[in-house]
Amino acid sequence: MRINLKVGHFPLFPTSLYTSQLLVLHSLSPPNKTLNPKVTSFSTVSSYYSSNSLVSVNGFDFLEQFSPFRNLANSSTYTVITSNERRKIVVGLSRVIKDEKGYILEAFSRDFCPSFLVKIIKLLGDKEVAFAFFKYVVQDYSEHTVRSCCISAHFLAAGDLRLLAQDMLSWIFRRIGKYRSDEVVNFMWREHYKYECDFSVLDSLMRAFLTAEMVSSALEIMSKMRDNGLRPSSSAVSILFKLLLRIGDYGSVWKLLRDMLHKGPRPTNNLFNVMILGYSRKGRLRTGESLFHLMRKFGCEPDVFTYNILINAYCIRGWTSYALNWVHMMVEHGCNPSISTFSTVINALCKEGNVVEARKLFDGMQEVGVFPSTVTYNAMMDGYVKAREIFQANLLYEEMKKNGVAPDAITLNILVAGHYKYGREEDGDRLLWDLTVGGLFPDYLFSDVSIAGLCWTGRLNEAVALLDNLLEKGIPVSVIAFNSIIAAYSKEGLEEKAFEVYNIMVQFGQTPSASTCASLLMGFSMTGRLQEARDLMAKMIAMSFPINITACTVLLDGYFKKGDVMGARTLWDEMENMGIAPDAVAFSALIDGLVKAGFVEDGYDAFFQMIRKGLVPNNFVYNSLITGFCNSGNMNEAQKLERDMREMGLFPDIFTINTIINGFCKKGRMKLAIDSFVEMQRSGLQPDIVTYNTLINGFCKAFDVVNADNFMTRMHASGWEPDITTYNIRLHGFCSTRRINRAVMMLDELVSAGVVPNTVTYNTMMNSACNDILDRAMILAAKLLKMAFIPNTVTANLLLSHLWKQGLPQRTLIWGQKLSEIGFEFDEITYKILDKASHFIQENTEYCTETTEKSLFLDFLMYITYDYIRRSRAYSDNNDSSYELVQDGPCGSFKLVNKATVWSI
């Protein structure tokens, strides 16, 4: 028989993995990097599923010829398998043809026959490839096809391939839904005696429903098993418990447990662990503890996994002291702690900022014969980095290498991030180069490390292209690589691109991690789209994705940045209901946000709450509170906090001292400001440009020109050149004392020095122009316009105020109306000016409306400001998009839909 099958000739793996790695190495720059911040469009989706991908040439799909449903209209767009699965199927089918079994493929392609399908599946050999082939060829879900699939599942179960049969049934159940699934159950039960026993078919159906997450149908199958005198397997019941706990159906959980106690199977350690884990994840620790104590009553002894579940639950809630008590308890009961036990507690201590205690435990575990793993080293290094102790992190990394513990991609991210944030970028570049080129990573991690490295060096386009290439070639890529690109896109504010990569990650079978969720939330939070962030969080929680404290902290910070203090407080309260305990970073974000919003006392209360929980405040927390008290004029409390810092072993940094100096300057207590300046130098801190600017500003406001000039001289002597802030301070001082000529000279001086004026510069000079005599005012205004004057809200308020002061209330209201028509957001000052103008007109029916040269000049400046704001608003509206988050597919993938686009259709 001549086999009439087409076989495409194409290289499955043009290069070996080693060669691919060498090519990747050449794409990594040495420490002197060239950044490419511009991000192009992500092309991976189209390349995975286009007609030219992998197994197709010139529009011909090699797989299509093997499907009995190839004539379906939607076959060309069918995308149930990934490119990697396509490639593996082609390899498997090519082997079948090479073994002269192609006649089976040809027969199957003519008619969907259960026996031929089973033969092909057995010939393919690999379970993953066989299931992928099944998903591809079953493109029709008519009653005849579904029944044929059921018969195939019977054949497979009878041939010791029950796991594959369960996967096939689960796939069918997902596609046809609950109503038709009941018909499948009846059909399989009615015909099963021809192929398999009662338990086999019901167990397969139950597991298939569990895999499809159709809990109610799984419960019905379990009831059917009971009715037929059968006892479900412990492993299947454990999966059922897990799903019931995930959806929060606690009533069914306890009913099922009582049923097991009476009818079997007897609860096992694994079952109790599943229940304890489920309740702990829901924040019901008391119930978890009760189940722990109940285990022994039913002949089950808590093992290391049981203890670790509870220890981890306490650590997540921030109750590290309780977690340590459980460690002592497990030792007392003869259960030896594992590496996971120590890693969990060390990680919790580091996240709380208690690096000293974490290091003690890290050293102590080795004394009892438990040696740190990569995860333990990563947790400890992450703690040092967050404490800004980069030197200690580097020492620990060297110790890690010395002890033969292999670093992974997470190690890379921790160390490189530390150097970029708190160290020197060149050290981060050098470390990145050494790690990627030095052969320190195993081959299977190389792809992840290469992608992460490209993202850290700002070469996102190359990282995306590399991911695309690796997936095309079937080279393994873990969730770490996907997370690196998702995080990079989110930081760039490209949420849609981040979701594209996320969806591909899900389609390739990777489970989202806590880092994935945090990165996606960060993208929304950074752009102020908090409602979309809350919607995403709700969907992820409903799907039991790992939402951790990092994700909540990202969203909390987003609320504060947008000024939504009530939203931030609400989220903080909801965190406890979700069983998520705040760590030191979360408390830092809360305290800083409250202080910046003006709720200093509330921030102080949160500070004491943080200490009561055993969390250690760092410099950032103290600096936030000191800033708040200084801004509110409470210098006594600010100085008390500075003393507390020193007692806690924290040394006030330059930011701390500058804040205190600024507080004294605002109150006009210049002698105390100078005392702080002198004390700073005695303690070894060198003044920076902010220090000098603060003191110069303080003396200018105190009209002490001599000392202002003295500190200008000292600043030059210390090697600091004046910046735009310095010039703005002096300009304001000159303008306040009506020394306009001197101000103009300084304006020319800063331009000559190459310092770029900002809006403060422009508004200061514009205010002087409006107050000055007309001729000189027009010259000054012309100079500002020539320098590309950029008006803002302050400019608008300034001009409205001058119109009012010039006795032109009618013009003030007219321009106020024009600004409101273009969506200009009035602040408190704007409303006060407009209210004064309105009251004046109401109370003075007769007032001078004479047009003067000064009023025309102000009108001209007002028009320029109005026109600029109007054009800026129009551009912003055209580029602003509102998105809706919708679920896209059964596997937990999402997509962003532009509402404006949808509404316009």
Side-chain angles (χ1 to χ4, degrees):
M1 180 185 295
R2 185 173 64 87
I3 307 303
N4 186 27
L5 295 173
K6 300 177 183 178
V7 179
H9 297 281
F10 59 100
L12 294 179
F13 293 91
T15 58
S16 67
L17 178 58
Y18 177 74
T19 309
S20 299
Q21 291 177 354
L22 289 180
L23 291 174
V24 174
L25 279 176
H26 283 296
S27 73
L28 285 172
S29 297
N32 295 325
K33 66 177 183 295
T34 303
L35 296 181
N36 181 16
K38 185 174 176 59
V39 180
T40 58
S41 60
F42 187 73
S43 62
T44 310
V45 177
S46 60
S47 66
Y48 293 153
Y49 304 122
S50 70
S51 60
N52 295 321
S53 81
L54 295 173
V55 292
S56 57
V57 176
N58 298 327
F60 172 69
D61 187 344
F62 296 113
L63 288 186
E64 191 173 311
Q65 62 187 314
F66 302 108
S67 173
F69 306 108
R70 58 185 173 276
N71 294 323
L72 289 178
N74 67 337
S75 62
S76 62
T77 57
Y78 203 65
T79 57
V80 296
I81 59 173
T82 66
S83 59
N84 194 29
E85 288 175 321
R86 281 175 175 266
R87 184 179 297 282
K88 290 182 178 180
I89 294 171
V90 171
V91 172
L93 295 179
S94 300
R95 191 179 299 113
V96 172
I97 296 172
K98 184 178 179 181
D99 293 340
E100 299 183 354
K101 303 289 185 181
Y103 63 91
I104 300 175
L105 297 175
E106 186 175 24
F108 178 72
S109 68
R110 288 197 299 266
D111 183 36
F112 188 91
C113 174
S115 60
F116 282 134
L117 176 61
V118 171
K119 286 180 181 178
I120 294 170
I121 285 174
K122 289 182 177 180
L123 287 171
L124 289 172
D126 184 85
K127 175 178 175 289
E128 180 185 342
V129 178
F131 183 50
F133 177 76
F134 170 79
K135 289 189 295 182
Y136 178 81
V137 298
V138 181
Q139 301 180 20
D140 169 66
Y141 295 99
S142 64
E143 183 178 354
H144 172 72
T145 304
V146 170
R147 290 195 173 194
S148 296
C149 291
C150 292
I151 294 172
S152 300
H154 279 313
F155 278 133
L156 291 171
D160 294 328
L161 293 173
R162 278 185 58 199
L163 294 179
L164 183 55
Q166 292 163 18
D167 288 341
M168 288 169 55
L169 290 172
S170 176
W171 180 263
I172 294 293
F173 290 154
R174 282 198 184 103
R175 293 301 180 274
I176 65 177
K178 173 74 169 67
Y179 176 73
R180 292 187 62 194
S181 295
D182 294 339
E183 296 177 3
V184 170
V185 171
N186 293 332
F187 174 76
M188 290 198 70
W189 178 251
R190 188 168 61 247
E191 300 287 333
H192 80 278
Y193 63 89
K194 300 177 182 177
Y195 313 97
E196 53 183 323
C197 66
D198 293 357
F199 176 81
S200 176
V201 66
L202 290 176
D203 185 62
S204 293
L205 286 168
M206 181 178 175
R207 290 176 183 275
F209 279 124
L210 291 173
T211 304
E213 300 190 358
M214 299 169 70
V215 182
S216 60
S217 297
L219 286 169
E220 290 173 7
I221 297 295
M222 186 172 179
S223 178
K224 194 176 185 70
M225 294 180 79
R226 297 290 194 197
D227 293 340
N228 285 273
L230 301 172
R231 178 181 292 180
S233 66
S234 296
S235 57
V237 174
S238 295
I239 298 171
L240 182 55
F241 269 108
K242 189 181 299 183
L243 288 174
L244 288 170
L245 287 164
R246 200 180 82 183
I247 64 177
D249 189 355
Y250 304 118
S252 295
V253 169
W254 292 112
K255 181 177 180 299
L256 186 58
L257 181 61
R258 286 194 297 269
D259 189 53
M260 288 181 64
L261 294 175
H262 287 95
K263 303 176 183 178
R266 296 286 292 177
T268 61
N269 261 41
N270 180 62
L271 179 66
F272 274 109
N273 288 344
V274 166
M275 292 182 68
I276 293 171
L277 177 62
Y279 278 107
S280 298
R281 281 181 172 172
K282 294 291 185 179
R284 300 182 171 222
L285 271 176
R286 289 185 180 277
T287 307
E289 285 186 15
S290 299
L291 286 166
F292 171 87
H293 296 297
L294 196 65
M295 290 179 68
R296 292 189 177 93
K297 183 178 178 181
F298 296 100
C300 297
E301 185 66 29
D303 55 19
V304 67
F305 300 105
T306 318
Y307 283 104
N308 284 348
I309 289 167
L310 289 169
I311 289 168
N312 183 61
Y314 279 112
C315 287
I316 288 173
R317 295 184 70 83
W319 300 343
T320 316
S321 57
Y322 289 97
L324 286 169
N325 290 338
W326 278 91
V327 175
H328 295 310
M329 184 190 299
M330 71 186 293
V331 173
E332 290 172 2
H333 284 85
C335 182
N336 294 324
S338 65
I339 183 62
S340 178
T341 313
F342 288 106
S343 298
T344 299
V345 180
I346 288 170
N347 183 54
L349 288 168
C350 287
K351 286 186 179 300
E352 292 175 1
N354 199 345
V355 186
V356 175
E357 288 300 319
R359 186 58 196 243
K360 288 179 181 177
L361 187 61
F362 181 86
D363 295 333
M365 63 183 279
Q366 300 178 60
E367 296 175 5
V368 297
V370 181
F371 297 98
S373 64
T374 304
V375 175
T376 323
Y377 274 108
N378 286 347
M380 197 68 236
M381 281 188 285
D382 190 47
Y384 278 129
V385 167
K386 284 185 169 60
R388 304 192 181 190
E389 298 182 25
I390 307 299
F391 178 72
Q392 291 295 333
N394 286 335
L395 288 179
L396 195 61
Y397 170 65
E398 294 299 327
E399 178 187 322
M400 179 183 187
K401 291 194 297 181
K402 182 180 177 182
N403 292 335
V405 180
D408 59 11
I410 297 176
T411 316
L412 168 79
N413 280 326
I414 290 170
L415 291 174
V416 175
H419 284 292
Y420 272 72
K421 290 178 181 178
Y422 309 122
R424 298 186 306 171
E425 282 196 22
E426 53 267 31
D427 291 337
D429 295 337
R430 191 171 294 106
L431 175 65
L432 183 60
W433 179 253
D434 291 342
L435 288 173
T436 51
V437 180
L440 297 174
F441 292 97
D443 287 346
Y444 68 89
L445 286 176
F446 195 88
S447 304
D448 301 329
V449 173
S450 299
I451 290 172
L454 289 170
C455 289
W456 269 113
T457 54
R459 296 158 63 184
L460 182 52
N461 290 338
E462 295 174 53
V464 170
L466 176 57
L467 175 65
D468 194 3
N469 191 35
L470 293 172
L471 294 176
E472 289 281 340
K473 289 180 170 62
I475 298 174
V477 178
S478 79
V479 68
I480 296 172
F482 286 103
N483 283 347
S484 298
I485 296 180
I486 290 171
Y489 271 135
S490 295
K491 288 175 183 176
E492 294 283 345
L494 300 171
E495 298 85 8
E496 289 177 273
K497 300 298 179 186
F499 272 95
E500 284 181 19
V501 181
Y502 163 78
N503 289 334
I504 292 168
M505 179 184 80
V506 173
Q507 289 161 11
F508 269 77
Q510 296 290 349
T511 303
S513 67
S515 177
T516 317
C517 301
S519 295
L520 292 173
L521 288 171
M522 178 181 67
F524 283 133
S525 300
M526 286 180 65
T527 53
R529 291 156 58 183
L530 301 177
Q531 188 54 52
E532 285 111 323
R534 290 302 294 268
D535 292 344
L536 174 62
M537 179 179 279
K539 285 181 170 66
M540 287 180 164
I541 290 172
M543 299 177 74
S544 292
F545 285 175
I547 301 294
N548 63 2
I549 186 59
T550 304
C552 292
T553 305
V554 166
L555 187 53
L556 182 77
D557 190 54
Y559 273 113
F560 279 124
K561 284 181 177 176
K562 199 172 182 180
D564 188 355
V565 179
M566 184 59 68
R569 290 180 187 269
T570 302
L571 176 63
W572 186 264
D573 295 334
E574 289 177 356
M575 283 163 57
E576 184 174 355
N577 297 331
M578 291 187 290
I580 299 175
D583 58 7
V585 178
F587 266 107
S588 299
L590 176 68
I591 293 168
D592 186 60
L594 289 171
V595 168
K596 286 179 177 176
F599 299 95
V600 184
E601 292 300 329
D602 290 347
Y604 209 17
D605 291 340
F607 171 78
F608 288 117
Q609 182 185 354
M610 177 182 183
I611 293 175
R612 284 195 297 271
K613 284 184 173 290
L615 302 177
V616 182
N618 56 14
N619 277 45
F620 180 81
V621 176
Y622 278 104
N623 286 342
S624 296
L625 287 168
I626 289 171
T627 301
F629 282 119
C630 286
N631 290 339
S632 62
N634 191 346
M635 295 305 299
N636 291 334
E637 201 63 52
Q639 288 181 295
K640 178 179 178 297
L641 280 169
E642 185 199 358
R643 291 192 295 271
D644 289 345
M645 282 182 73
R646 298 180 189 277
E647 292 175 4
M648 292 287 292
L650 299 172
F651 294 100
D653 52 24
I654 189 67
F655 182 89
T656 316
I657 305 303
N658 284 344
T659 302
I660 291 175
I661 290 174
N662 186 50
F664 284 127
C665 288
K666 282 184 175 180
K667 293 180 73 70
R669 301 166 69 179
M670 297 308 298
K671 184 179 183 305
L672 291 175
I674 295 298
D675 290 344
S676 297
F677 175 79
V678 173
E679 184 61 33
M680 172 179 67
Q681 292 177 303
R682 286 177 183 168
S683 63
L685 287 175
Q686 294 302 316
D688 59 7
I689 188 68
V690 177
T691 318
Y692 287 109
N693 283 342
T694 303
L695 288 166
I696 292 168
N697 187 44
F699 283 118
C700 285
K701 287 183 176 178
F703 301 105
D704 189 345
V705 181
V706 175
N707 274 316
D709 289 338
N710 287 340
F711 270 92
M712 279 285 289
T713 304
R714 294 181 69 168
M715 182 175 71
H716 281 289
S718 299
W720 293 101
E721 292 297 325
D723 61 5
I724 187 59
T725 304
T726 318
Y727 282 111
N728 285 340
I729 291 168
R730 299 311 306 271
L731 284 171
H732 186 270
F734 290 134
C735 291
S736 299
T737 54
R738 298 281 183 171
R739 298 162 67 186
I740 307 300
N741 290 336
R742 186 69 185 90
V744 172
M745 290 173 60
M746 179 154 284
L747 182 64
D748 293 334
E749 180 184 328
L750 75 90
V751 173
S752 300
V755 180
V756 180
N758 58 17
T759 52
V760 176
T761 318
Y762 293 130
N763 288 333
T764 302
M765 299 304 295
M766 184 65 76
N767 187 48
S768 298
C770 293
N771 281 320
D772 206 15
I773 58 176
L774 186 60
D775 291 342
R776 197 160 56 180
M778 293 178 69
I779 294 171
L780 181 54
K783 184 184 289 287
L784 293 174
L785 293 174
K786 187 177 179 181
M787 295 167 63
F789 166 57
I790 302 174
N792 61 358
T793 304
V794 176
T795 319
N797 287 342
L798 185 151
L799 293 171
L800 289 172
S801 175
H802 277 286
L803 284 168
W804 155 247
K805 290 177 181 178
Q806 288 292 325
L808 299 169
Q810 187 70 37
R811 301 299 300 162
T812 306
L813 293 176
I814 289 173
W815 280 114
Q817 177 64 28
K818 285 182 175 292
L819 288 170
S820 67
E821 289 172 358
I822 60 173
F824 179 78
E825 295 179 4
F826 293 167
D827 59 13
E828 186 179 351
I829 296 173
T830 319
Y831 283 118
K832 283 183 178 180
I833 296 169
L834 296 176
D835 282 344
K836 286 181 180 179
S838 178
H839 288 150
F840 181 85
I841 292 175
Q842 292 173 7
E843 295 170 2
N844 300 275
T845 54
E846 296 181 4
Y847 63 91
C848 179
T849 58
E850 179 184 354
T851 301
T852 64
E853 290 181 341
K854 189 75 171 183
S855 65
L856 289 173
F857 172 66
L858 292 174
D859 256 349
F860 169 70
L861 296 178
M862 193 73 235
Y863 173 76
I864 293 172
T865 302
Y866 163 80
D867 185 60
Y868 177 85
I869 294 173
R870 178 182 60 80
R871 285 185 283 108
S872 299
R873 296 275 169 177
Y875 177 81
S876 176
D877 291 341
N878 289 335
N879 286 274
D880 185 34
S881 298
S882 180
Y883 291 91
E884 182 179 6
L885 187 72
V886 297
Q887 192 165 342
D888 180 32
C891 300
S893 57
F894 300 106
K895 67 178 178 181
L896 289 176
V897 179
N898 191 325
K899 292 181 182 178
T901 305
V902 174
W903 293 338
S904 64
I905 295 176

